[in-house]
Amino acid sequence: MENVIILGSGIAGCTAAIYAARANLSPLVFSGPQEGGQLTMTTEVENFPGFPEGIRGMELVEKAKKQAEKFGATFKTDIATEVEEIKNGFELTFMSGAKLKSKTIIVATGASARWLGIPSEEKYRGRGVTTCATCDGAFFKDKEVIVVGGGDSAMEESLFLTRFAAKVTVVHRREELRASKFMQEKAQKNEKIEFVWNSMVSEILGDGRLVNGVKLKNLKTGKLSLFKCDGVFLAIGHVPNTRIFQDKIKLDDKGYIVADKFMRTSIPGIFAAGDVQDTRFKQAITAAGSGCKAAMEVEKYLAENE
Ligand code: NAP
């Protein structure tokens, strides 16, 4: 039986792995569908302490993984599909068919990009509609794109897209951005970025193959208008990856794991870290901090229960 299995290899999972490995718990980390988590989809991380020049998100998690491996953590690529309580621990079933037993679990499965939920979005997914500017931005050289959302991600994606696109239009459902002042100002100063306020995308338009525009609805007047563009980047937040824990661990009404300040969930022996339990801060540094706390609490829990 393992001491601790960590589900998720984002910055929370990697930090938990560093601490658990240094406590001689030989943690086993399962990377899940998106190895490295959300940071692999961002560009420059400018607010992680210790990197005054900024660091690429991908580089940050790769370094954290290497650091965990150096202390004895093992990383595997598989996705947990079921968790059952057994005597003195848990049995996890994975997509590969593997079954493993562990005394404790740290859930650091993060959150995935939210989609608009309109039928045409499904039709043009990967044909001009995407949630990842760093992955797909280069396909839009000299094209016109829109970014939907008003948070830090929307600002960051818009700024990144100005490297390629001829014009970037941010479509936001209110007339005030949610993003931090710093990011707002950076985006507003950029000559390639324009804003459409109080509006939402009601339909994605295309020629059957690729996107060629959107239908916008002004939420104040109700008026519909056509807007020509070649790409639609969605940056409208995230939903927590907690499907396999539904009806098992206590979740809040939005599906986030409810964890206490010691990162304990409603099931003794299962801890949570990172965006899967964070309804408020959602920063790389807070995810890392919660991973550290979860691993330290696992160590304490194992000492008390053995
Ligand atoms: P967010 O802060 O939750 O912002 C989501 C945005 O999408 C909001 O402006 C929201 O509008 C809008 N939205 C949500 N659902 C929508 C829908 N169905 N249709 C249209 N618009 C919708 O998410 P985020 O920007 O991904 O950021 C998440 C966290 O990561 C934040 O804490 C942020 O600070 C952090 N982050 C930081 C950085 C950085 O520091 N450089 C970069 C990226 C992310 P409303 O404003 O009206 O709610």
Side-chain angles (χ1 to χ4, degrees):
M1 191 182 268
E2 305 293 333
N3 288 314
V4 56
I5 283 181
I6 299 169
L7 299 177
S9 55
I11 195 66
C14 285
T15 309
I18 292 169
Y19 276 79
R22 285 172 63 88
N24 275 342
L25 298 177
S26 309
L28 195 50
V29 186
F30 284 88
S31 58
Q34 195 183 332
E35 189 171 352
Q38 281 180 60
L39 280 177
T40 62
M41 291 169 80
T42 63
T43 48
E44 208 71 0
V45 181
E46 292 178 316
N47 50 10
F48 202 90
F51 299 96
E53 314 302 333
I55 179 167
R56 281 188 313 111
M58 180 72 96
E59 199 185 336
L60 182 61
V61 272
E62 275 171 1
K63 278 180 188 282
K65 180 184 173 189
K66 252 193 210 150
Q67 199 173 348
E69 284 174 330
K70 184 177 105 179
F71 295 120
T74 304
F75 283 73
K76 292 194 172 186
T77 310
D78 212 341
I79 298 170
T81 53
E82 229 184 296
V83 179
E84 287 300 330
E85 271 188 83
I86 56 169
K87 193 167 180 277
N88 301 326
F90 307 91
E91 183 175 71
L92 292 106
T93 307
F94 292 87
M95 206 167 248
S96 64
K99 281 183 188 284
L100 281 175
K101 293 184 174 66
S102 182
K103 293 174 197 166
T104 63
I105 299 173
I106 296 176
V107 183
T109 47
S112 298
R114 176 180 283 126
W115 292 75
L116 289 168
I118 52 177
S120 49
E121 167 187 70
E122 201 55 52
K123 185 171 169 189
Y124 288 105
R125 202 166 165 156
R127 296 155 177 255
V129 183
T130 167
T131 58
C132 180
T134 43
C135 321
D136 300 324
F139 297 123
F140 295 87
K141 192 161 174 8
D142 300 328
K143 307 256 188 212
E144 294 202 7
V145 299
I146 66 162
V147 173
V148 185
D152 280 325
S153 297
M155 298 308 107
E156 195 173 82
E157 303 235 324
S158 304
L159 286 159
F160 178 74
L161 287 166
T162 58
R163 296 190 198 175
F164 311 99
K167 192 179 137 207
V168 178
T169 303
V170 176
V171 176
H172 184 38
R173 63 184 178 184
R174 294 185 291 137
E175 54 198 3
E176 194 187 331
L177 294 168
R178 181 177 291 279
S180 59
K181 288 282 172 288
F182 178 78
M183 294 298 280
Q184 288 192 28
E185 279 171 17
K186 231 172 144 180
Q188 276 161 343
K189 271 189 202 150
N190 192 302
E191 283 178 0
K192 277 192 180 179
I193 301 178
E194 286 180 13
F195 291 82
V196 173
W197 305 107
N198 300 311
S199 297
M200 60 180 276
V201 173
S202 60
E203 194 181 341
I204 314 267
L205 307 170
D207 59 7
R209 208 172 56 87
L210 293 172
V211 166
N212 60 20
V214 289
K215 201 181 272 180
L216 294 181
K217 183 176 182 184
N218 184 304
L219 297 172
K220 284 220 156 145
T221 61
K223 206 176 142 218
L224 290 172
S225 60
L226 297 184
F227 190 95
K228 276 186 152 188
C229 62
D230 308 290
V232 178
F233 288 80
L234 303 176
I236 55 171
H238 295 83
V239 283
N241 297 321
T242 49
R243 202 174 44 82
I244 68 164
F245 301 106
Q246 268 167 20
D247 309 323
K248 293 212 161 91
I249 298 176
K250 187 173 178 205
L251 307 178
D252 73 5
D253 58 348
K254 294 204 170 97
Y256 287 86
I257 291 179
V258 176
D260 68 8
K261 65 179 180 179
F262 300 112
M263 313 325 292
R264 294 179 296 208
T265 69
S266 57
I267 300 182
I270 301 188
F271 299 79
D275 281 5
V276 75
Q277 53 80 51
D278 185 353
T279 54
R280 193 173 174 95
F281 302 107
K282 302 176 188 183
Q283 304 296 305
I285 188 65
T286 51
S290 66
C292 156
K293 287 196 256 180
M296 291 177 78
E297 286 301 312
V298 160
E299 189 186 358
K300 188 165 174 282
Y301 174 88
L302 288 172
E304 283 170 1
N305 286 277
E306 269 174 4

